[in-house]
């Protein structure tokens, strides 16, 4: 089964007040943490959808497919579509957000192994009953993902198919923490959520 990975790094960062992926977290920009958490050997292909050249260049250096998004204001549905176009022919796709700096590649690798044992389910990383990212969607859900529009992402597909969802649990809830504001980034850097 060919599983691809799409790193969604094309957001406009409106709540952050600018391109948050260029913001530093523990000595490196957020996008560097996102790229480092991708276990490339676990995937048949990796696409990084972004509008910042720094992110695209870093993706190319890792051997990933760099996909330029010219319209970050078009929302997450456009990022999803661009990534899916770049990784045509996959049997499943893992969608990764770029603002979870404490996510570990070991967790992503284990999530993919869990998905391979449950290939007909949508598999999200979680902690307790909390669903987080990344999320793996099997091919059966690709049409629904392609039908999304505006700033609507995979959560809409999950809500429409609740019985298909399985959570793969991580021990540390901080792995699921994402940063949407400068204050959230600072709090996470200080070990708070």
């Amino acid at each position: 089964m060919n599983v691809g990975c799409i790193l969604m790094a094309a957001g406009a960062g409106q709540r952050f007040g600018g391109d948050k992926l260029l913001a530093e977290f523990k000595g490196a920009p957020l996008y560097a943490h996102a790229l480092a958490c991708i276990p490339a050997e676990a995937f048949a292909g990796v696409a990084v959808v972004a509008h910042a050249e720094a992110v695209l260049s870093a993706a190319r250096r890792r051997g990933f497919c760099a996909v330029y998004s010219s319209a970050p204001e078009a929302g997450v549905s456009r990022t999803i579509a661009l990534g899916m176009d770049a990784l045509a022919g996959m049997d499943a796709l893992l969608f990764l957000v770029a603002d979870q700096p404490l996510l570990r590649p070991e967790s992503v690798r284990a999530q993919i192994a869990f998905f391979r044992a449950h290939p007909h389910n949508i598999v999200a990383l979680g902690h307790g009953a909390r669903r987080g990212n990344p999320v793996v969607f099997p091919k059966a859900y690709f049409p629904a993902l392609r039908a999304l529009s505006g700033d609507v992402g995979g959560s809409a597909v999950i809500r429409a198919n609740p019985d298909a969802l399985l959570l793969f649990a991580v021990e540390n809830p901080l792995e699921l923490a994402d940063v949407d504001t400068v204050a959230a980034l600072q709090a996470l850097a200080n070990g708070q959520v």
Side-chain angles (χ1 to χ4, degrees):
M1 182 190 310
N2 288 329
V3 181
C5 173
I6 297 173
L7 176 62
M8 300 186 297
Q14 292 174 332
R15 285 178 285 178
F16 197 84
D19 193 340
K20 66 181 170 184
L21 300 186
L22 303 178
E24 292 242 331
F25 179 84
K26 297 193 175 182
L30 277 178
Y31 73 79
H33 292 280
L35 291 169
C37 83
I38 299 172
E41 78 287 349
F43 298 105
V46 177
V48 177
V49 184
H51 63 275
E53 182 53 40
V55 182
L56 296 167
S57 295
R60 288 186 204 100
R61 284 193 299 274
R62 288 184 172 264
F64 298 158
C65 176
V67 182
Y68 175 65
S69 173
S70 60
E73 67 281 355
V76 69
S77 65
R78 177 174 166 77
T79 301
I80 289 170
L82 288 170
M84 292 181 76
D85 289 345
L87 293 180
M90 295 293 165
D91 300 307
L93 289 167
L94 176 134
F95 290 88
L96 184 69
V97 296
D99 60 356
Q100 284 177 250
L102 297 179
L103 180 63
R104 300 177 318 120
E106 295 83 0
S107 297
V108 178
R109 194 177 293 114
Q111 181 183 5
I112 292 300
F114 180 81
F115 168 75
R116 289 183 181 280
H118 303 88
H120 303 294
N121 289 93
I122 298 169
V123 175
L125 214 60
H127 179 79
R130 177 182 169 210
R131 174 176 63 83
N133 288 304
V135 181
V136 190
F137 290 91
K139 195 173 196 172
Y141 299 95
F142 288 5
L145 289 166
R146 285 204 174 270
L148 297 171
S149 62
D151 201 26
V152 176
S155 289
V157 177
I158 294 170
R159 284 192 299 273
N161 300 278
D163 294 340
L165 179 66
L166 291 177
L167 294 185
F168 179 73
V170 288
E171 288 184 23
N172 183 357
L174 291 179
E175 286 197 66
L176 302 179
D178 58 19
V179 290
D180 290 323
T181 64
V182 173
L185 181 64
Q186 292 169 342
L188 194 60
N190 294 328
Q192 304 161 341
V193 179

